[in-house]
Amino acid sequence: SAFWAQLEKSKRLDNEIKKTDLVIGGFFWGIELAAIFTSLMKDTKQEKALAIFLKNPRLGAVKTRLAAAIGDQKALEIYTRLVALTLKAAKEVSASRHLFYSDTLESAPKDLQAEPHIQIGSGLGERMNNAFNQLLDNYHRVVLIGSDLPEISATLIDEAFEKLDTNDLVIGPAEDGGYYLIALKTPQPTLFSAIEYSNAEVFEQTLVRAEAEKLKVASLKKLRDIDTLADLSHFDNLSS
């Protein structure tokens, strides 16, 4: 009887060991499943987004500095042409396109697949920062441009995306001291806070902020956007 009692005890011990193995195995399998799930969740991000900041095209509300010299109607016509050039370039870029309107939501042009948004924030810096925060939740790389650069091109935008592979910040300096393009792959709120836009120090101030954050920066070629009559004089095709 002692033999059979010992045998029964051994069987119970063996069953307990098997149960323990199952628990431990299940624990580590759960960890592995969680890691796989986390990896899959990360991979749901899309690769590239192009954000385009637009002003709603209304008489007296666009290109006000230019309008002071040539009138509201002519300024509106020129801005409309600039927007058309911008959207033409955007259409040729292989990225998800997002139109950020200044005041009211408008439908994207029928020939351009794009998602419309409203800019959110009290100033340009806050609005750009919010747009980046929104898009970087769903995309790995985001390029943001305005809509007043006559020389904008798909090649230029593609270059920004390419440089973003090996840099934290890509920026396109404008002749007036601002910038016409900015690209990021992680949110960088300090680049947009407490900066007075529409002055000649914006580009340099942004670089100072980037250096303080130890960001690796790449610049594009310097180009001229259209804000004044002097700017317009460089582009006869727009004023004719």
Side-chain angles (χ1 to χ4, degrees):
S1 62
F3 170 78
W4 293 111
Q6 185 63 36
L7 182 62
E8 186 64 28
K9 185 177 180 181
S10 296
K11 286 181 178 179
R12 286 199 301 269
L13 181 61
D14 186 54
N15 287 335
E16 289 300 321
I17 290 172
K18 287 179 179 178
K19 287 179 182 178
T20 302
D21 286 344
L22 284 171
V23 170
I24 293 173
F27 173 74
F28 284 108
W29 176 238
I31 291 176
E32 188 174 350
L33 280 175
I36 293 170
F37 179 74
T38 301
S39 176
L40 288 172
M41 287 298 289
K42 288 181 180 177
D43 289 342
T44 60
K45 271 193 175 185
Q46 297 180 60
E47 190 56 39
K48 299 187 297 185
L50 173 61
I52 305 166
F53 265 39
L54 301 156
K55 284 194 173 183
N56 293 91
R58 297 198 181 99
L59 193 67
V62 297
K63 294 292 150 205
T64 52
R65 282 188 286 168
L66 181 61
I70 64 174
D72 289 341
Q73 183 59 46
K74 189 65 176 177
L76 178 60
E77 291 173 7
I78 288 170
Y79 181 67
T80 301
R81 293 176 193 171
L82 288 168
V83 169
L85 289 171
T86 304
L87 298 185
K88 181 178 182 294
K91 188 178 179 181
E92 298 170 3
V93 175
S94 178
S96 296
R97 291 170 287 269
H98 297 260
L99 307 180
F100 285 83
Y101 290 97
S102 59
D103 300 308
T104 58
L105 203 60
E106 297 189 15
S107 299
K110 291 181 180 179
D111 63 340
L112 180 71
Q113 188 175 357
E115 184 176 344
H117 307 265
I118 291 286
Q119 296 172 26
I120 300 172
S122 58
L124 180 58
E126 187 178 351
R127 290 179 176 215
M128 288 193 290
N129 184 53
N130 287 336
F132 273 113
N133 288 341
Q134 178 181 343
L135 293 178
L136 285 170
D137 278 344
N138 301 299
Y139 298 91
H140 291 291
R141 292 176 290 165
V142 175
V143 170
L144 188 152
I145 60 174
S147 49
D148 55 3
L149 190 74
E151 295 173 286
I152 192 65
S153 67
T155 301
L156 190 67
I157 298 167
D158 286 337
E159 182 184 353
F161 276 121
E162 184 178 345
K163 287 182 180 294
L164 203 52
D165 282 337
T166 53
N167 293 276
D168 304 307
L169 165 67
V170 179
I171 191 164
E175 289 283 355
D176 62 4
Y179 54 79
Y180 60 83
L181 178 152
I182 184 166
L184 295 168
K185 51 190 176 186
T186 59
Q188 299 292 340
T190 58
L191 298 182
F192 305 101
S193 63
I195 289 181
E196 183 182 346
Y197 289 89
S198 296
N199 72 60
E201 306 299 324
V202 172
F203 176 71
E204 291 300 331
Q205 288 176 355
T206 305
L207 291 185
V208 169
R209 302 283 180 86
E211 184 177 2
E213 294 296 319
K214 295 180 170 54
L215 301 181
K216 188 176 180 183
V217 181
S219 293
L220 303 174
K221 62 182 177 180
K222 184 180 286 188
L223 294 174
R224 184 182 299 275
D225 52 15
I226 302 293
D227 288 310
T228 67
L229 187 59
D231 295 328
L232 186 61
S233 67
H234 292 269
F235 302 97
D236 293 337
N237 59 318
L238 286 174
S239 55
S240 58

